[in-house]
mmCIF file with all atom_site columns, all heavy atoms in Angstrom:
data_model
loop_
_atom_site.group_PDB
_atom_site.id
_atom_site.type_symbol
_atom_site.label_atom_id
_atom_site.label_alt_id
_atom_site.label_comp_id
_atom_site.label_asym_id
_atom_site.label_entity_id
_atom_site.label_seq_id
_atom_site.pdbx_PDB_ins_code
_atom_site.Cartn_x
_atom_site.Cartn_y
_atom_site.Cartn_z
_atom_site.occupancy
_atom_site.B_iso_or_equiv
_atom_site.pdbx_formal_charge
_atom_site.auth_seq_id
_atom_site.auth_comp_id
_atom_site.auth_asym_id
_atom_site.auth_atom_id
_atom_site.pdbx_PDB_model_num
ATOM 1   N N   . THR A 1 29  ? 53.530 27.728 5.358   1.00 89.00 ? 1221 THR A N   1
ATOM 2   C CA  . THR A 1 29  ? 53.596 28.797 4.358   1.00 89.00 ? 1221 THR A CA  1
ATOM 3   C C   . THR A 1 29  ? 53.199 28.306 2.969   1.00 89.00 ? 1221 THR A C   1
ATOM 4   O O   . THR A 1 29  ? 52.444 28.970 2.312   1.00 89.00 ? 1221 THR A O   1
ATOM 5   C CB  . THR A 1 29  ? 55.006 29.445 4.349   1.00 89.00 ? 1221 THR A CB  1
ATOM 6   O OG1 . THR A 1 29  ? 55.355 29.847 5.664   1.00 89.00 ? 1221 THR A OG1 1
ATOM 7   C CG2 . THR A 1 29  ? 55.115 30.532 3.332   1.00 89.00 ? 1221 THR A CG2 1
ATOM 8   N N   . LEU A 1 31  ? 51.403 25.749 2.368   1.00 89.00 ? 1223 LEU A N   1
ATOM 9   C CA  . LEU A 1 31  ? 49.916 25.421 2.366   1.00 89.00 ? 1223 LEU A CA  1
ATOM 10  C C   . LEU A 1 31  ? 49.112 26.659 2.078   1.00 89.00 ? 1223 LEU A C   1
ATOM 11  O O   . LEU A 1 31  ? 48.123 26.617 1.342   1.00 89.00 ? 1223 LEU A O   1
ATOM 12  C CB  . LEU A 1 31  ? 49.532 24.825 3.726   1.00 89.00 ? 1223 LEU A CB  1
ATOM 13  C CG  . LEU A 1 31  ? 48.117 24.323 3.926   1.00 89.00 ? 1223 LEU A CG  1
ATOM 14  C CD1 . LEU A 1 31  ? 47.870 23.210 2.941   1.00 89.00 ? 1223 LEU A CD1 1
ATOM 15  C CD2 . LEU A 1 31  ? 47.903 23.871 5.326   1.00 89.00 ? 1223 LEU A CD2 1
ATOM 16  N N   . ARG A 1 40  ? 42.077 26.394 -8.444  1.00 93.00 ? 1232 ARG A N   1
ATOM 17  C CA  . ARG A 1 40  ? 42.011 26.354 -9.921  1.00 93.00 ? 1232 ARG A CA  1
ATOM 18  C C   . ARG A 1 40  ? 42.109 24.888 -10.395 1.00 93.00 ? 1232 ARG A C   1
ATOM 19  O O   . ARG A 1 40  ? 41.459 24.498 -11.387 1.00 93.00 ? 1232 ARG A O   1
ATOM 20  C CB  . ARG A 1 40  ? 43.158 27.196 -10.510 1.00 93.00 ? 1232 ARG A CB  1
ATOM 21  C CG  . ARG A 1 40  ? 43.111 28.664 -10.210 1.00 93.00 ? 1232 ARG A CG  1
ATOM 22  C CD  . ARG A 1 40  ? 41.753 29.293 -10.554 1.00 93.00 ? 1232 ARG A CD  1
ATOM 23  N NE  . ARG A 1 40  ? 41.255 28.889 -11.878 1.00 93.00 ? 1232 ARG A NE  1
ATOM 24  C CZ  . ARG A 1 40  ? 39.991 29.106 -12.191 1.00 93.00 ? 1232 ARG A CZ  1
ATOM 25  N NH1 . ARG A 1 40  ? 39.100 29.631 -11.403 1.00 93.00 ? 1232 ARG A NH1 1
ATOM 26  N NH2 . ARG A 1 40  ? 39.581 28.736 -13.419 1.00 93.00 ? 1232 ARG A NH2 1
ATOM 27  N N   . VAL A 1 43  ? 38.692 23.223 -9.736  1.00 92.00 ? 1235 VAL A N   1
ATOM 28  C CA  . VAL A 1 43  ? 37.646 23.629 -10.653 1.00 92.00 ? 1235 VAL A CA  1
ATOM 29  C C   . VAL A 1 43  ? 37.892 22.971 -12.005 1.00 92.00 ? 1235 VAL A C   1
ATOM 30  O O   . VAL A 1 43  ? 36.966 22.449 -12.669 1.00 92.00 ? 1235 VAL A O   1
ATOM 31  C CB  . VAL A 1 43  ? 37.670 25.173 -10.815 1.00 92.00 ? 1235 VAL A CB  1
ATOM 32  C CG1 . VAL A 1 43  ? 36.743 25.632 -11.957 1.00 92.00 ? 1235 VAL A CG1 1
ATOM 33  C CG2 . VAL A 1 43  ? 37.214 25.832 -9.499  1.00 92.00 ? 1235 VAL A CG2 1
ATOM 34  N N   . GLN A 1 49  ? 35.734 16.285 -15.170 1.00 77.00 ? 1241 GLN A N   1
ATOM 35  C CA  . GLN A 1 49  ? 35.200 15.031 -14.685 1.00 77.00 ? 1241 GLN A CA  1
ATOM 36  C C   . GLN A 1 49  ? 33.753 14.874 -15.139 1.00 77.00 ? 1241 GLN A C   1
ATOM 37  O O   . GLN A 1 49  ? 33.285 13.789 -15.591 1.00 77.00 ? 1241 GLN A O   1
ATOM 38  C CB  . GLN A 1 49  ? 35.222 15.003 -13.170 1.00 77.00 ? 1241 GLN A CB  1
ATOM 39  C CG  . GLN A 1 49  ? 34.622 13.771 -12.550 1.00 77.00 ? 1241 GLN A CG  1
ATOM 40  C CD  . GLN A 1 49  ? 34.722 13.796 -11.042 1.00 77.00 ? 1241 GLN A CD  1
ATOM 41  O OE1 . GLN A 1 49  ? 35.300 14.732 -10.442 1.00 77.00 ? 1241 GLN A OE1 1
ATOM 42  N NE2 . GLN A 1 49  ? 34.134 12.807 -10.363 1.00 77.00 ? 1241 GLN A NE2 1
ATOM 43  N N   . ILE A 1 62  ? 25.190 7.614  -8.036  1.00 76.00 ? 1254 ILE A N   1
ATOM 44  C CA  . ILE A 1 62  ? 24.645 6.432  -8.703  1.00 76.00 ? 1254 ILE A CA  1
ATOM 45  C C   . ILE A 1 62  ? 25.209 5.157  -8.088  1.00 76.00 ? 1254 ILE A C   1
ATOM 46  O O   . ILE A 1 62  ? 24.475 4.182  -7.804  1.00 76.00 ? 1254 ILE A O   1
ATOM 47  C CB  . ILE A 1 62  ? 24.851 6.494  -10.214 1.00 76.00 ? 1254 ILE A CB  1
ATOM 48  C CG1 . ILE A 1 62  ? 23.845 7.436  -10.860 1.00 76.00 ? 1254 ILE A CG1 1
ATOM 49  C CG2 . ILE A 1 62  ? 24.718 5.111  -10.840 1.00 76.00 ? 1254 ILE A CG2 1
ATOM 50  C CD1 . ILE A 1 62  ? 24.014 7.601  -12.351 1.00 76.00 ? 1254 ILE A CD1 1
ATOM 51  N N   . PHE A 1 69  ? 20.630 -0.512 -3.108  1.00 84.00 ? 1261 PHE A N   1
ATOM 52  C CA  . PHE A 1 69  ? 19.517 -1.360 -3.608  1.00 84.00 ? 1261 PHE A CA  1
ATOM 53  C C   . PHE A 1 69  ? 19.923 -2.863 -3.602  1.00 84.00 ? 1261 PHE A C   1
ATOM 54  O O   . PHE A 1 69  ? 19.098 -3.732 -3.340  1.00 84.00 ? 1261 PHE A O   1
ATOM 55  C CB  . PHE A 1 69  ? 19.138 -0.938 -5.015  1.00 84.00 ? 1261 PHE A CB  1
ATOM 56  C CG  . PHE A 1 69  ? 18.323 0.299  -5.076  1.00 84.00 ? 1261 PHE A CG  1
ATOM 57  C CD1 . PHE A 1 69  ? 18.627 1.370  -5.929  1.00 84.00 ? 1261 PHE A CD1 1
ATOM 58  C CD2 . PHE A 1 69  ? 17.201 0.488  -4.216  1.00 84.00 ? 1261 PHE A CD2 1
ATOM 59  C CE1 . PHE A 1 69  ? 17.824 2.557  -5.932  1.00 84.00 ? 1261 PHE A CE1 1
ATOM 60  C CE2 . PHE A 1 69  ? 16.483 1.679  -4.184  1.00 84.00 ? 1261 PHE A CE2 1
ATOM 61  C CZ  . PHE A 1 69  ? 16.771 2.705  -5.035  1.00 84.00 ? 1261 PHE A CZ  1
ATOM 62  N N   . VAL A 1 91  ? 17.359 2.679  5.597   1.00 89.00 ? 1283 VAL A N   1
ATOM 63  C CA  . VAL A 1 91  ? 18.022 3.923  6.085   1.00 89.00 ? 1283 VAL A CA  1
ATOM 64  C C   . VAL A 1 91  ? 19.417 3.624  6.524   1.00 89.00 ? 1283 VAL A C   1
ATOM 65  O O   . VAL A 1 91  ? 20.367 4.349  6.224   1.00 89.00 ? 1283 VAL A O   1
ATOM 66  C CB  . VAL A 1 91  ? 17.186 4.531  7.251   1.00 89.00 ? 1283 VAL A CB  1
ATOM 67  C CG1 . VAL A 1 91  ? 17.944 5.770  7.819   1.00 89.00 ? 1283 VAL A CG1 1
ATOM 68  C CG2 . VAL A 1 91  ? 15.800 4.882  6.796   1.00 89.00 ? 1283 VAL A CG2 1
ATOM 69  N N   . GLY A 1 96  ? 24.978 4.385  5.370   1.00 93.00 ? 1288 GLY A N   1
ATOM 70  C CA  . GLY A 1 96  ? 26.306 3.833  5.524   1.00 93.00 ? 1288 GLY A CA  1
ATOM 71  C C   . GLY A 1 96  ? 27.092 3.856  4.206   1.00 93.00 ? 1288 GLY A C   1
ATOM 72  O O   . GLY A 1 96  ? 28.232 4.204  4.144   1.00 93.00 ? 1288 GLY A O   1
ATOM 73  N N   . ASP A 1 105 ? 36.342 8.642  -1.436  1.00 93.00 ? 1297 ASP A N   1
ATOM 74  C CA  . ASP A 1 105 ? 36.761 9.784  -2.253  1.00 93.00 ? 1297 ASP A CA  1
ATOM 75  C C   . ASP A 1 105 ? 37.997 10.445 -1.603  1.00 93.00 ? 1297 ASP A C   1
ATOM 76  O O   . ASP A 1 105 ? 38.923 10.810 -2.320  1.00 93.00 ? 1297 ASP A O   1
ATOM 77  C CB  . ASP A 1 105 ? 35.637 10.815 -2.400  1.00 93.00 ? 1297 ASP A CB  1
ATOM 78  C CG  . ASP A 1 105 ? 34.587 10.361 -3.397  1.00 93.00 ? 1297 ASP A CG  1
ATOM 79  O OD1 . ASP A 1 105 ? 34.803 9.403  -4.113  1.00 93.00 ? 1297 ASP A OD1 1
ATOM 80  O OD2 . ASP A 1 105 ? 33.441 10.946 -3.361  1.00 93.00 ? 1297 ASP A OD2 1
ATOM 81  N N   . ALA A 1 109 ? 41.898 10.503 -3.244  1.00 93.00 ? 1301 ALA A N   1
ATOM 82  C CA  . ALA A 1 109 ? 42.271 11.765 -3.812  1.00 93.00 ? 1301 ALA A CA  1
ATOM 83  C C   . ALA A 1 109 ? 43.819 12.050 -3.844  1.00 93.00 ? 1301 ALA A C   1
ATOM 84  O O   . ALA A 1 109 ? 44.277 12.437 -4.883  1.00 93.00 ? 1301 ALA A O   1
ATOM 85  C CB  . ALA A 1 109 ? 41.504 12.883 -3.078  1.00 93.00 ? 1301 ALA A CB  1
ATOM 86  N N   . ASN A 1 125 ? 57.996 24.146 -10.623 1.00 81.00 ? 1317 ASN A N   1
ATOM 87  C CA  . ASN A 1 125 ? 58.217 24.147 -9.181  1.00 81.00 ? 1317 ASN A CA  1
ATOM 88  C C   . ASN A 1 125 ? 57.054 24.908 -8.519  1.00 81.00 ? 1317 ASN A C   1
ATOM 89  O O   . ASN A 1 125 ? 56.915 26.118 -8.691  1.00 81.00 ? 1317 ASN A O   1
ATOM 90  C CB  . ASN A 1 125 ? 59.560 24.841 -8.877  1.00 81.00 ? 1317 ASN A CB  1
ATOM 91  C CG  . ASN A 1 125 ? 59.878 24.783 -7.345  1.00 81.00 ? 1317 ASN A CG  1
ATOM 92  O OD1 . ASN A 1 125 ? 59.291 24.023 -6.604  1.00 81.00 ? 1317 ASN A OD1 1
ATOM 93  N ND2 . ASN A 1 125 ? 60.798 25.701 -6.966  1.00 81.00 ? 1317 ASN A ND2 1
ATOM 94  N N   . ILE A 1 132 ? 47.255 18.151 -2.699  1.00 93.00 ? 1324 ILE A N   1
ATOM 95  C CA  . ILE A 1 132 ? 46.443 17.579 -1.596  1.00 93.00 ? 1324 ILE A CA  1
ATOM 96  C C   . ILE A 1 132 ? 45.210 18.400 -1.355  1.00 93.00 ? 1324 ILE A C   1
ATOM 97  O O   . ILE A 1 132 ? 44.138 17.895 -1.235  1.00 93.00 ? 1324 ILE A O   1
ATOM 98  C CB  . ILE A 1 132 ? 47.367 17.561 -0.295  1.00 93.00 ? 1324 ILE A CB  1
ATOM 99  C CG1 . ILE A 1 132 ? 48.616 16.778 -0.559  1.00 93.00 ? 1324 ILE A CG1 1
ATOM 100 C CG2 . ILE A 1 132 ? 46.551 16.919 0.835   1.00 93.00 ? 1324 ILE A CG2 1
ATOM 101 C CD1 . ILE A 1 132 ? 49.611 16.904 0.593   1.00 93.00 ? 1324 ILE A CD1 1
ATOM 102 N N   . GLY A 1 152 ? 17.267 14.562 1.336   1.00 86.00 ? 1344 GLY A N   1
ATOM 103 C CA  . GLY A 1 152 ? 16.058 14.289 0.616   1.00 86.00 ? 1344 GLY A CA  1
ATOM 104 C C   . GLY A 1 152 ? 15.538 12.860 0.852   1.00 86.00 ? 1344 GLY A C   1
ATOM 105 O O   . GLY A 1 152 ? 14.344 12.691 1.136   1.00 86.00 ? 1344 GLY A O   1
ATOM 106 N N   . ILE A 1 159 ? 12.537 9.962  8.338   1.00 84.00 ? 1351 ILE A N   1
ATOM 107 C CA  . ILE A 1 159 ? 13.547 10.281 9.356   1.00 84.00 ? 1351 ILE A CA  1
ATOM 108 C C   . ILE A 1 159 ? 13.590 11.778 9.542   1.00 84.00 ? 1351 ILE A C   1
ATOM 109 O O   . ILE A 1 159 ? 13.994 12.491 8.621   1.00 84.00 ? 1351 ILE A O   1
ATOM 110 C CB  . ILE A 1 159 ? 14.927 9.724  9.007   1.00 84.00 ? 1351 ILE A CB  1
ATOM 111 C CG1 . ILE A 1 159 ? 14.875 8.184  8.778   1.00 84.00 ? 1351 ILE A CG1 1
ATOM 112 C CG2 . ILE A 1 159 ? 15.954 10.045 10.077  1.00 84.00 ? 1351 ILE A CG2 1
ATOM 113 C CD1 . ILE A 1 159 ? 14.450 7.425  10.043  1.00 84.00 ? 1351 ILE A CD1 1
ATOM 114 N N   . LEU A 1 165 ? 21.840 17.184 14.259  1.00 90.00 ? 1357 LEU A N   1
ATOM 115 C CA  . LEU A 1 165 ? 22.202 17.424 12.866  1.00 90.00 ? 1357 LEU A CA  1
ATOM 116 C C   . LEU A 1 165 ? 23.293 18.512 12.780  1.00 90.00 ? 1357 LEU A C   1
ATOM 117 O O   . LEU A 1 165 ? 24.089 18.581 11.807  1.00 90.00 ? 1357 LEU A O   1
ATOM 118 C CB  . LEU A 1 165 ? 20.994 17.832 12.042  1.00 90.00 ? 1357 LEU A CB  1
ATOM 119 C CG  . LEU A 1 165 ? 21.172 17.950 10.534  1.00 90.00 ? 1357 LEU A CG  1
ATOM 120 C CD1 . LEU A 1 165 ? 21.594 16.576 9.899   1.00 90.00 ? 1357 LEU A CD1 1
ATOM 121 C CD2 . LEU A 1 165 ? 19.932 18.455 9.872   1.00 90.00 ? 1357 LEU A CD2 1
ATOM 122 N N   . PHE A 1 170 ? 30.795 17.870 11.462  1.00 96.00 ? 1362 PHE A N   1
ATOM 123 C CA  . PHE A 1 170 ? 32.041 17.357 12.047  1.00 96.00 ? 1362 PHE A CA  1
ATOM 124 C C   . PHE A 1 170 ? 32.280 15.896 11.688  1.00 96.00 ? 1362 PHE A C   1
ATOM 125 O O   . PHE A 1 170 ? 33.471 15.493 11.536  1.00 96.00 ? 1362 PHE A O   1
ATOM 126 C CB  . PHE A 1 170 ? 31.915 17.497 13.588  1.00 96.00 ? 1362 PHE A CB  1
ATOM 127 C CG  . PHE A 1 170 ? 31.950 18.920 14.074  1.00 96.00 ? 1362 PHE A CG  1
ATOM 128 C CD1 . PHE A 1 170 ? 30.788 19.534 14.497  1.00 96.00 ? 1362 PHE A CD1 1
ATOM 129 C CD2 . PHE A 1 170 ? 33.167 19.663 14.084  1.00 96.00 ? 1362 PHE A CD2 1
ATOM 130 C CE1 . PHE A 1 170 ? 30.785 20.849 14.931  1.00 96.00 ? 1362 PHE A CE1 1
ATOM 131 C CE2 . PHE A 1 170 ? 33.150 20.975 14.512  1.00 96.00 ? 1362 PHE A CE2 1
ATOM 132 C CZ  . PHE A 1 170 ? 31.986 21.617 14.914  1.00 96.00 ? 1362 PHE A CZ  1
ATOM 133 N N   . GLY A 1 171 ? 31.218 15.145 11.515  1.00 95.00 ? 1363 GLY A N   1
ATOM 134 C CA  . GLY A 1 171 ? 31.393 13.788 11.107  1.00 95.00 ? 1363 GLY A CA  1
ATOM 135 C C   . GLY A 1 171 ? 31.932 13.733 9.634   1.00 95.00 ? 1363 GLY A C   1
ATOM 136 O O   . GLY A 1 171 ? 32.795 12.904 9.362   1.00 95.00 ? 1363 GLY A O   1
ATOM 137 N N   . SER A 1 174 ? 35.474 14.600 9.644   1.00 96.00 ? 1366 SER A N   1
ATOM 138 C CA  . SER A 1 174 ? 36.232 13.506 10.239  1.00 96.00 ? 1366 SER A CA  1
ATOM 139 C C   . SER A 1 174 ? 36.515 12.432 9.208   1.00 96.00 ? 1366 SER A C   1
ATOM 140 O O   . SER A 1 174 ? 37.634 11.899 9.049   1.00 96.00 ? 1366 SER A O   1
ATOM 141 C CB  . SER A 1 174 ? 35.483 12.900 11.400  1.00 96.00 ? 1366 SER A CB  1
ATOM 142 O OG  . SER A 1 174 ? 36.113 11.774 11.895  1.00 96.00 ? 1366 SER A OG  1
ATOM 143 N N   . GLY A 1 179 ? 40.348 9.840  5.808   1.00 96.00 ? 1371 GLY A N   1
ATOM 144 C CA  . GLY A 1 179 ? 40.574 9.404  4.442   1.00 96.00 ? 1371 GLY A CA  1
ATOM 145 C C   . GLY A 1 179 ? 41.844 10.035 3.843   1.00 96.00 ? 1371 GLY A C   1
ATOM 146 O O   . GLY A 1 179 ? 42.696 9.374  3.205   1.00 96.00 ? 1371 GLY A O   1
ATOM 147 N N   . VAL A 1 189 ? 54.528 5.623  -1.954  1.00 89.00 ? 1381 VAL A N   1
ATOM 148 C CA  . VAL A 1 189 ? 54.735 4.221  -2.485  1.00 89.00 ? 1381 VAL A CA  1
ATOM 149 C C   . VAL A 1 189 ? 53.875 3.971  -3.740  1.00 89.00 ? 1381 VAL A C   1
ATOM 150 O O   . VAL A 1 189 ? 54.304 3.391  -4.699  1.00 89.00 ? 1381 VAL A O   1
ATOM 151 C CB  . VAL A 1 189 ? 54.385 3.186  -1.419  1.00 89.00 ? 1381 VAL A CB  1
ATOM 152 C CG1 . VAL A 1 189 ? 54.658 1.775  -1.925  1.00 89.00 ? 1381 VAL A CG1 1
ATOM 153 C CG2 . VAL A 1 189 ? 55.220 3.389  -0.173  1.00 89.00 ? 1381 VAL A CG2 1
ATOM 154 N N   . THR A 1 194 ? 52.415 0.926  -9.231  1.00 82.00 ? 1386 THR A N   1
ATOM 155 C CA  . THR A 1 194 ? 50.988 0.981  -9.543  1.00 82.00 ? 1386 THR A CA  1
ATOM 156 C C   . THR A 1 194 ? 50.178 -0.074 -8.931  1.00 82.00 ? 1386 THR A C   1
ATOM 157 O O   . THR A 1 194 ? 48.934 -0.072 -8.880  1.00 82.00 ? 1386 THR A O   1
ATOM 158 C CB  . THR A 1 194 ? 50.789 0.912  -11.104 1.00 82.00 ? 1386 THR A CB  1
ATOM 159 O OG1 . THR A 1 194 ? 51.383 -0.333 -11.598 1.00 82.00 ? 1386 THR A OG1 1
ATOM 160 C CG2 . THR A 1 194 ? 51.459 2.109  -11.766 1.00 82.00 ? 1386 THR A CG2 1
ATOM 161 N N   . THR A 1 211 ? 33.335 -2.981 8.695   1.00 93.00 ? 1403 THR A N   1
ATOM 162 C CA  . THR A 1 211 ? 32.912 -1.631 9.217   1.00 93.00 ? 1403 THR A CA  1
ATOM 163 C C   . THR A 1 211 ? 31.397 -1.600 9.162   1.00 93.00 ? 1403 THR A C   1
ATOM 164 O O   . THR A 1 211 ? 30.773 -2.159 8.249   1.00 93.00 ? 1403 THR A O   1
ATOM 165 C CB  . THR A 1 211 ? 33.499 -0.564 8.327   1.00 93.00 ? 1403 THR A CB  1
ATOM 166 O OG1 . THR A 1 211 ? 34.900 -0.705 8.160   1.00 93.00 ? 1403 THR A OG1 1
ATOM 167 C CG2 . THR A 1 211 ? 33.261 0.857  8.809   1.00 93.00 ? 1403 THR A CG2 1
ATOM 168 N N   . PRO A 1 216 ? 25.302 -4.333 10.997  1.00 88.00 ? 1408 PRO A N   1
ATOM 169 C CA  . PRO A 1 216 ? 25.415 -3.710 12.348  1.00 88.00 ? 1408 PRO A CA  1
ATOM 170 C C   . PRO A 1 216 ? 26.642 -4.263 13.101  1.00 88.00 ? 1408 PRO A C   1
ATOM 171 O O   . PRO A 1 216 ? 27.249 -5.249 12.676  1.00 88.00 ? 1408 PRO A O   1
ATOM 172 C CB  . PRO A 1 216 ? 24.088 -4.089 12.997  1.00 88.00 ? 1408 PRO A CB  1
ATOM 173 C CG  . PRO A 1 216 ? 23.693 -5.352 12.321  1.00 88.00 ? 1408 PRO A CG  1
ATOM 174 C CD  . PRO A 1 216 ? 24.161 -5.251 10.867  1.00 88.00 ? 1408 PRO A CD  1
ATOM 175 N N   . SER A 1 247 ? 21.315 8.887  19.594  1.00 89.00 ? 1439 SER A N   1
ATOM 176 C CA  . SER A 1 247 ? 22.342 9.295  20.557  1.00 89.00 ? 1439 SER A CA  1
ATOM 177 C C   . SER A 1 247 ? 23.619 8.510  20.254  1.00 89.00 ? 1439 SER A C   1
ATOM 178 O O   . SER A 1 247 ? 23.548 7.243  20.187  1.00 89.00 ? 1439 SER A O   1
ATOM 179 C CB  . SER A 1 247 ? 21.862 8.993  21.972  1.00 89.00 ? 1439 SER A CB  1
ATOM 180 O OG  . SER A 1 247 ? 22.880 9.318  22.902  1.00 89.00 ? 1439 SER A OG  1
ATOM 181 N N   . VAL A 1 256 ? 39.008 10.049 19.990  1.00 97.00 ? 1448 VAL A N   1
ATOM 182 C CA  . VAL A 1 256 ? 40.381 9.422  20.010  1.00 97.00 ? 1448 VAL A CA  1
ATOM 183 C C   . VAL A 1 256 ? 40.887 9.192  18.612  1.00 97.00 ? 1448 VAL A C   1
ATOM 184 O O   . VAL A 1 256 ? 42.023 9.468  18.268  1.00 97.00 ? 1448 VAL A O   1
ATOM 185 C CB  . VAL A 1 256 ? 40.387 8.131  20.860  1.00 97.00 ? 1448 VAL A CB  1
ATOM 186 C CG1 . VAL A 1 256 ? 41.668 7.393  20.677  1.00 97.00 ? 1448 VAL A CG1 1
ATOM 187 C CG2 . VAL A 1 256 ? 40.138 8.402  22.318  1.00 97.00 ? 1448 VAL A CG2 1
ATOM 188 N N   . ALA A 1 263 ? 47.407 13.586 14.097  1.00 96.00 ? 1455 ALA A N   1
ATOM 189 C CA  . ALA A 1 263 ? 48.822 13.248 14.315  1.00 96.00 ? 1455 ALA A CA  1
ATOM 190 C C   . ALA A 1 263 ? 49.397 12.543 13.100  1.00 96.00 ? 1455 ALA A C   1
ATOM 191 O O   . ALA A 1 263 ? 50.453 12.828 12.633  1.00 96.00 ? 1455 ALA A O   1
ATOM 192 C CB  . ALA A 1 263 ? 48.992 12.442 15.593  1.00 96.00 ? 1455 ALA A CB  1
#
Side-chain angles (χ1 to χ4, degrees):
T1221 301
L1223 183 64
R1232 295 311 311 168
V1235 171
Q1241 179 182 355
I1254 282 179
F1261 284 133
V1283 176
D1297 285 346
N1317 185 18
I1324 305 171
I1351 302 297
L1357 186 64
F1362 291 103
S1366 174
V1381 182
T1386 58
T1403 306
S1439 180
V1448 170

